[in-house]
């Protein structure tokens, strides 16, 4: 199975992180109250992302050969994005997410 994490600006669509193009270590931690994404990255790499911390979309794409692609859209809570410079970890958190097949949307003739 392939997996990629994408973090982008919700309004303008600018991509800040795409692990499919530029791999970074990350971890998704789920809990009863929601989820937290931990992304290991340098301060220089996310300086622009932090300017837009209240306007982010977070997606995980799962690709399995012979199956429809799955997309999970994580809803980031306002004020729930922070960066720890000492550990170089970006933390994003939220209470909900929605998962769907990417092939279920769009025009079909």
């Amino acid at each position: 199975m392939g997996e990629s994490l994408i973090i982008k600006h919700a309004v303008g669509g600018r991509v800040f992180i795409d692990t499919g193009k530029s791999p970074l270590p990350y971890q998704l931690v789920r809990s009863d109250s929601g989820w937290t994404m931990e992304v290991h990255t340098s301060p220089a790499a996310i300086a622009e992302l932090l300017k837009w911390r209240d306007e982010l979309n977070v997606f995980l794409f799962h690709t399995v050969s012979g199956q429809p692609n799955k997309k999970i859209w994580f809803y980031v809570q306002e004020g729930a994005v922070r960066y720890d410079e000492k550990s170089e970890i970006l933390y994003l958190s939220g209470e909900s997410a929605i998962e769907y097949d990417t092939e279920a949307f769009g025009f079909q003739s």
Side-chain angles (χ1 to χ4, degrees), residues 59 69-73 98-105:
F59 303 95
N69 294 333
K70 298 258 188 221
K71 180 178 184 179
I72 305 172
W73 182 4
I98 185 169
E99 182 175 336
Y100 55 93
D101 294 338
T102 57
E103 294 175 9
F105 296 91

Side-chain angles (χ1 to χ4, degrees), residues 50-86:
L50 292 173
K51 291 178 186 178
W52 304 102
R53 68 178 75 217
D54 291 328
E55 299 178 9
L56 299 177
N57 280 330
V58 177
F59 303 95
L60 273 181
F61 290 88
H62 294 166
T63 307
V64 177
S65 181
Q67 296 182 15
N69 294 333
K70 298 258 188 221
K71 180 178 184 179
I72 305 172
W73 182 4
F74 294 91
Y75 295 99
V76 180
Q77 292 174 273
E78 188 171 328
V81 176
R82 67 181 180 85
Y83 184 71
D84 183 333
E85 287 191 34
K86 185 175 180 179

Side-chain angles (χ1 to χ4, degrees), residues 14-49:
R14 179 177 174 194
V15 176
F16 297 110
I17 293 175
D18 182 346
T19 64
K21 294 180 180 176
S22 299
L24 291 171
Y26 64 89
Q27 175 180 334
L28 172 64
V29 179
R30 295 184 191 253
S31 68
D32 291 339
S33 61
W35 58 272
T36 299
M37 188 73 67
E38 300 174 3
V39 185
H40 297 263
T41 187
S42 69
I46 62 154
E48 192 66 19
L49 176 151

